[in-house]
Amino acid sequence: VYWYEDMLLNKDLSPSFPSWLTVAGEPMKLEKVDDYTIRLSFAAPYGLLPQQMAFRSDGIFYPAHYLKQFHAKYVSKEELDKMVQEAQLESWDQLYGNKSDYLRNVDLPVIRPWKIVQAPPKTIVIFERNPYYWKVDPDGNQLPYIDRQRYTLVENVELVNMKGVAGEVDMQMRHMAFSNYSLFKENADKGGYRVFLWQMGETGIVLFPNLTLLKDDTLRELMRDLRFRQALSMAIDRDEINELNYNGMASPIQDGFPEELRGEEELWAPFEYNLDKANALLDEIGLTEKSSAGYRLRPDGKELSLTIEGLVAFPTVSDVCELVVSYWKKLGINAAFKPITYDLWWDRIYTSEYQVAGYAQANLSPVVQAIYARAYAPIEHSTYWAPEWGNWYVTGGKAGEEPTGDAREAQKIYDELKMTTDADKQVELMTQIYRLYLKNVWSIITVGRYPAPMIVKKNFRNVPEKGINAWPLKSPGYTRPEQYFFKSS
């Protein structure tokens, strides 16, 4: 009730009501039934609610008894201003955001298995067992089994991988590069670990042309020309990317989409390597004039250049994006790669001033992908290929830009999907969104799904040898980490 009344309905904390709790244009209503029951009401049926509640659980449970002391409704302005000043912040909502963040505030009560006791900016982050955690194992033993977790924050992804090779981690899945698989295997006995291969629930690196690019009208219009996006895609040698970055083990792009789409050849033609066709498409657009350096000229006479801004917190981003730069230069585009670290990533995305973003995207079964469909329909501010269209959707038209054509149609289909309670119909509607996405080449996938290594110490147990690494599944959360344990002998 506190989360609903004092956080979701508070304009300082929630300027726009969450779109995932909005159905048929109307926000959810919540009422208390008794001490242990709440009732959620929507303007129309909401078939995705159970999955969304599981996926969004990070942002649902907040301890009112603790957080009220930082809330403008319950504290005088004088007291709150003093706390804001002491924290060297500018407003009470910033203070509240810090105090309600379980990864930053060691004093915040949680119902999680572990509670943070040493937070960033410390380079050693420590979690300790929550004695009030609400789960027990089948024998009645209090969970979690592990008393303490220690995370070392390092400067870059290469150091994460080197620590894995050296056996300096008990378990690590995120950031481990498949290109280091042989190295992991060679050092496994020496480092006292096992190497598991989990399937990534995402594609390989994706290029996201920004269709809502701000501050460059000419380039934005080029981005919105389907022929331009098709040319960028056809110039990419996916076989080479697969061999050099995924040891040839990445699947074809088609494998990550519903079977009924795989036979529609016209959908996949733009994802096949065809440099001659790519050049012909750019010529057809009218980009035939060249600069003294040999690069194509834009309609406004400026040299055609593209900068890929890639999130380098993850393996292969830099290597793949550098290859794409070389491919696009063969098209007569003065391309470049700019690495972006995670601490700057979201600020950059939300400006909508980047030209092309480089990252991966979730690629799961339609019924799972429906809860995290931002890569395929512009329904979030974080839809990398059109953040302003996504911002328009999540704010109910109060910000961003209203899309037209197939992009607006994808939003409408998603609205229908949310209201559908039949699982088969949900799959059908998500497949329609996939079809629009592929038809319009809204982003440029390089390769399909691929395996990824996980380092697991030999005495670290209850970790499945096979699984899926995917953000919508909160991997490895769905494998019950509270039941992981250290074998004593």
Side-chain angles (χ1 to χ4, degrees):
V1 173
Y2 173 80
W3 163 67
Y4 172 71
E5 293 183 350
D6 294 325
M7 294 180 65
L8 296 188
L9 297 183
N10 185 285
K11 293 298 183 182
D12 290 331
L13 301 179
S14 303
S16 297
F17 199 84
S19 61
W20 72 274
L21 291 172
T22 302
V23 179
E26 294 293 326
M28 172 196 77
K29 291 184 170 58
L30 183 150
E31 59 181 310
K32 176 180 176 180
V33 177
D34 57 44
D35 286 348
Y36 299 99
T37 312
I38 57 171
R39 179 181 290 116
L40 309 181
S41 303
F42 296 89
Y46 190 6
L48 290 182
L49 181 63
Q51 298 99 307
Q52 288 282 22
M53 292 286 283
F55 175 56
R56 310 275 182 172
S57 59
D58 281 356
I60 294 176
F61 301 106
Y62 293 92
H65 67 287
Y66 172 80
L67 287 173
K68 283 181 178 179
Q69 63 183 309
F70 309 108
H71 197 295
K73 179 179 174 180
Y74 301 97
V75 182
S76 69
K77 186 176 185 306
E78 292 73 23
E79 289 180 84
L80 207 51
D81 286 346
K82 182 180 179 182
M83 286 189 282
V84 170
Q85 186 176 8
E86 289 173 350
Q88 297 182 325
L89 298 171
E90 296 179 359
S91 59
W92 81 270
D93 57 290
Q94 291 180 343
L95 174 72
Y96 191 90
N98 288 348
K99 295 297 185 180
S100 61
D101 187 345
Y102 74 95
L103 289 175
R104 285 190 283 184
N105 183 7
V106 298
D107 297 321
L108 181 72
V110 298
I111 61 171
R112 299 168 174 275
W114 295 275
K115 181 182 186 302
I116 197 166
V117 295
Q118 184 164 296
K122 298 284 188 180
T123 56
I124 303 295
V125 177
I126 298 173
F127 288 80
E128 289 184 352
R129 187 174 178 276
N130 179 5
Y132 302 104
Y133 186 55
W134 53 281
K135 287 186 183 181
V136 296
D137 71 7
D139 294 326
N141 298 305
Q142 176 69 47
L143 293 172
Y145 293 139
I146 294 174
D147 290 325
R148 185 178 174 91
Q149 297 182 18
R150 185 174 187 266
Y151 296 86
T152 303
L153 304 186
V154 296
E155 293 179 3
N156 54 55
V157 71
E158 288 78 16
L159 283 174
V160 178
N161 281 257
M162 289 305 99
K163 283 183 173 291
V165 170
E168 295 179 12
V169 296
D170 295 306
M171 174 185 171
Q172 183 73 27
M173 175 174 63
R174 196 171 172 91
H175 306 297
M176 306 311 281
F178 191 78
S179 58
N180 289 328
Y181 179 68
S182 297
L183 191 61
F184 293 142
K185 294 290 286 185
E186 290 168 7
N187 289 273
D189 287 338
K190 182 180 177 181
Y193 59 83
R194 299 164 290 163
V195 184
F196 297 163
L197 275 183
W198 278 30
Q199 182 71 25
M200 292 298 293
E202 61 184 34
T203 66
I205 301 307
V206 178
L207 292 311
F208 301 92
N210 185 357
L211 276 64
T212 58
L213 172 67
L214 300 178
K215 298 187 176 180
D216 192 333
D217 297 347
T218 301
L219 187 55
R220 183 177 63 250
E221 290 309 305
L222 277 178
M223 297 287 200
R224 293 187 181 185
D225 190 319
L226 174 59
R227 296 169 297 175
F228 186 73
R229 302 194 299 276
Q230 289 173 332
L232 295 179
S233 180
M234 289 180 175
I236 292 174
D237 188 340
R238 289 169 172 82
D239 289 339
E240 183 175 55
I241 288 176
N242 192 5
E243 290 299 325
L244 293 179
N245 293 281
Y246 302 97
N247 287 15
M249 294 183 68
S251 67
I253 295 171
Q254 292 92 323
D255 288 358
F257 291 88
E259 189 170 351
E260 67 182 86
L261 298 180
R262 298 176 197 173
E264 298 183 22
E265 295 182 5
E266 71 279 3
L267 292 178
W268 308 106
F271 297 95
E272 296 175 1
Y273 182 49
N274 191 331
L275 189 58
D276 289 340
K277 176 66 173 175
N279 273 300
L281 284 169
L282 295 188
D283 290 345
E284 183 182 315
I285 293 171
L287 304 175
T288 55
E289 299 297 319
K290 300 287 183 68
S291 70
S292 58
Y295 294 113
R296 294 175 184 269
L297 297 180
R298 307 184 335 172
D300 59 2
K302 295 180 181 178
E303 189 175 80
L304 178 56
S305 62
L306 286 178
T307 298
I308 303 170
E309 301 189 30
L311 180 54
V312 294
F314 293 88
T316 72
V317 169
S318 295
D319 292 340
V320 172
C321 287
E322 291 286 7
L323 278 172
V324 172
V325 163
S326 69
Y327 301 146
W328 287 353
K329 284 192 172 184
K330 293 177 183 177
L331 274 180
I333 298 172
N334 188 7
F337 173 63
K338 179 181 178 181
I340 302 292
T341 54
Y342 195 83
D343 57 325
L344 301 175
W345 179 251
W346 290 115
D347 287 343
R348 187 63 180 148
I349 293 299
Y350 293 147
T351 66
S352 199
E353 293 176 10
Y354 60 93
Q355 297 173 353
V356 182
Y359 189 30
Q361 68 186 25
N363 188 230
L364 295 154
S365 64
V367 72
V368 178
Q369 195 66 59
I371 62 173
Y372 196 58
R374 73 175 191 186
Y376 304 99
I379 58 168
E380 300 281 353
H381 200 178
S382 55
T383 295
Y384 300 131
W385 49 268
E388 290 301 290
W389 289 348
N391 196 24
W392 179 87
Y393 182 85
V394 296
T395 61
K398 296 177 182 177
E401 176 192 349
E402 181 178 5
T404 58
D406 282 349
R408 181 70 185 108
E409 180 65 18
Q411 292 177 340
K412 292 177 180 178
I413 294 171
Y414 190 72
D415 285 338
E416 183 181 353
L417 193 160
K418 286 170 64 175
M419 293 186 286
T420 300
T421 57
D422 180 82
D424 291 338
K425 184 65 174 177
Q426 290 176 352
V427 171
E428 178 187 327
L429 291 169
M430 191 65 211
T431 300
Q432 291 180 27
I433 291 175
Y434 284 141
R435 183 178 283 108
L436 289 175
Y437 165 84
L438 293 166
K439 167 192 166 187
N440 287 280
V441 195
W442 280 327
S443 65
I444 301 165
I445 306 172
T446 57
V447 298
R449 299 172 184 163
Y450 58 98
M454 179 196 295
I455 303 298
V456 182
K457 271 294 179 66
K458 290 182 177 180
N459 67 335
F460 196 60
R461 295 294 175 169
N462 266 357
V463 182
E465 292 191 22
K466 300 291 183 182
I468 299 175
N469 181 3
W471 171 243
L473 301 178
K474 301 298 177 75
S475 303
Y478 75 94
T479 67
R480 299 187 176 93
E482 64 271 17
Q483 291 185 202
Y484 295 174
F485 70 95
F486 288 96
K487 189 177 180 180
S488 57
S489 61

